[in-house]
Amino acid sequence: MNAQQHKRKPMVIANWKLNGGIDLICTSVASFIGKHFETQIAICPPYIYMRDMLTFLQHSEISIGSQNVSKFESGAYTGETSAQMLKQAGCKLCLIGHSERRAMFRENNQSCQIKVQTALNHGLLPVLCIGENLEERDANITKDVIFRQLSEGLENINLDGKDLCIAYEPVWAIGTGLAATPEMAQEVHQFIRRELAVLLGEATAERIRLLYGGSVTKTNAKELLAQTDIDGLLVGGASLDPGHFLAICQQVSEQAIAKGNQPGSAPQSAASVN
Ligand code: PEP
């Protein structure tokens, strides 16, 4: 563990996907309100619930994120929501290039690149999701896939001192109950950080938080977080159970203190969540 790692404030993001409703909002809000965590926490609900959640959670430490963002600024793009709208609504971050969007909605590295830059331009924290599918892992081309997703997804990105997050989510681990082992995940995270150093410079690569996602539960969260290059978690299924998600957040918070993040330390930067 190096000094830089201490400075990366851990982060946990809940991705509700096309799930949830008023009941889930109420129980989630009740679980989190009034609690303090040594980690940044964000929930990405369906768009329709964002405003309600922002209102309910305004005095909490929980931020709201979006599951997607338009690559367009405005105009005749039916069904889209722009980065500016999300920012104005109070959203802090957006997921970009989730594997479900890549597989079902024709997202590719090029559209992700535009979305990352658009999010940055409007003061949202982009969380670029990358990861190999089972075929690619079996063919031993995981690192090639990751390299391409990173180099194309971040091509000519102008960070201008702002934050960016990468979520490594092996497609075969998403929603399957088959999480990557901590060692497997660490190997890819380490590779990602090295590639980020080549693409964006060493100092930036050391600053960027890398999240692991794919069948995270309260049982495997701690072990994953203990890895040197895993700075947080992106949680799908388990985040739909507020008690379960709370337990994950508490573990990450405890681990943050154990890893050396001082209680009460300031958020990582102005563009960070919270
Ligand atoms: C996800 O879809 O981002 C995800 C991590 O899902 P799950 O935790 O259910 O595997």
Side-chain angles (χ1 to χ4, degrees):
M1 200 184 305
N2 60 33
Q4 284 297 333
Q5 190 190 355
H6 293 167
K7 293 183 192 148
R8 295 193 296 264
K9 187 160 185 162
M11 176 149 63
V12 189
I13 303 177
N15 176 14
W16 283 8
K17 311 189 187 190
L18 186 53
N19 295 299
I22 299 303
D23 285 356
L24 181 61
I25 293 173
C26 293
T27 42
S28 292
V29 170
S31 305
F32 282 92
I33 214 103
K35 294 203 169 65
H36 172 68
F37 302 90
E38 292 302 327
T39 177
Q40 295 181 335
I41 300 171
I43 298 178
C44 301
Y47 284 124
I48 192 79
Y49 300 129
M50 260 181 197
R51 289 306 285 257
D52 285 341
M53 293 196 68
L54 279 159
T55 307
F56 293 145
L57 291 169
Q58 63 182 314
H59 299 302
S60 80
E61 297 187 348
I62 315 300
S63 301
I64 294 301
S66 72
Q67 299 172 16
N68 184 26
V69 61
S70 180
K71 63 181 180 180
F72 303 109
E73 297 286 342
S74 65
Y77 301 105
T78 303
E80 291 286 273
T81 305
S82 74
Q84 186 179 26
M85 291 169 185
L86 291 169
K87 180 68 183 174
Q88 280 176 353
C91 201
K92 296 281 197 248
L93 62 85
C94 55
L95 304 183
I96 292 173
H98 188 281
S99 67
E100 286 151 16
R101 295 216 54 91
R102 289 179 190 257
M104 292 183 265
F105 302 98
R106 297 191 188 179
E107 293 270 352
N108 57 31
N109 295 334
Q110 286 67 35
S111 62
C112 288
Q113 190 273 354
I114 299 170
K115 290 181 177 200
V116 169
Q117 190 64 65
T118 305
L120 287 168
N121 292 347
H122 289 283
L124 292 169
L125 174 72
V127 180
L128 176 65
C129 303
I130 58 175
E132 81 288 2
N133 63 30
L134 191 56
E135 243 179 24
E136 291 161 341
R137 176 156 282 266
D138 287 346
N140 222 6
I141 56 167
T142 295
K143 287 180 181 164
D144 302 322
V145 172
I146 298 291
F147 171 75
R148 214 162 151 201
Q149 289 173 330
L150 280 178
S151 55
E152 293 181 4
L154 298 178
E155 193 175 2
N156 296 324
I157 285 296
N158 180 7
L159 274 179
D160 201 17
K162 293 177 189 151
D163 266 348
L164 165 77
C165 271
I166 304 291
Y168 168 58
E169 299 204 294
V171 181
W172 48 268
I174 295 180
T176 58
L178 202 75
T181 64
E183 295 73 25
M184 256 180 194
Q186 166 57 23
E187 190 188 345
V188 181
H189 279 237
Q190 188 179 49
F191 176 77
I192 293 170
R193 202 174 301 283
R194 284 196 190 137
E195 290 309 316
L196 288 174
V198 175
L199 293 168
L200 303 171
E202 190 108 17
T204 304
E206 283 299 327
R207 203 183 73 217
I208 289 177
R209 282 168 294 180
L210 308 183
L211 316 184
Y212 168 80
S215 294
V216 170
T217 64
K218 61 184 176 190
T219 312
N220 58 20
K222 213 168 179 166
E223 278 186 311
L224 286 160
L225 244 294
Q227 303 302 309
T228 311
D229 288 291
I230 301 184
D231 307 310
L233 302 168
L234 177 48
V235 187
S239 73
L240 297 174
D241 173 343
H244 195 150
F245 187 57
L246 178 66
I248 292 173
C249 295
Q250 281 166 336
Q251 286 187 25
V252 178
S253 190
E254 282 160 22
Q255 194 109 344
I257 296 169
K259 268 185 171 180
N261 287 277
Q262 292 308 305
S265 59
Q268 193 161 6
S269 84
S272 300
V273 291
N274 283 344

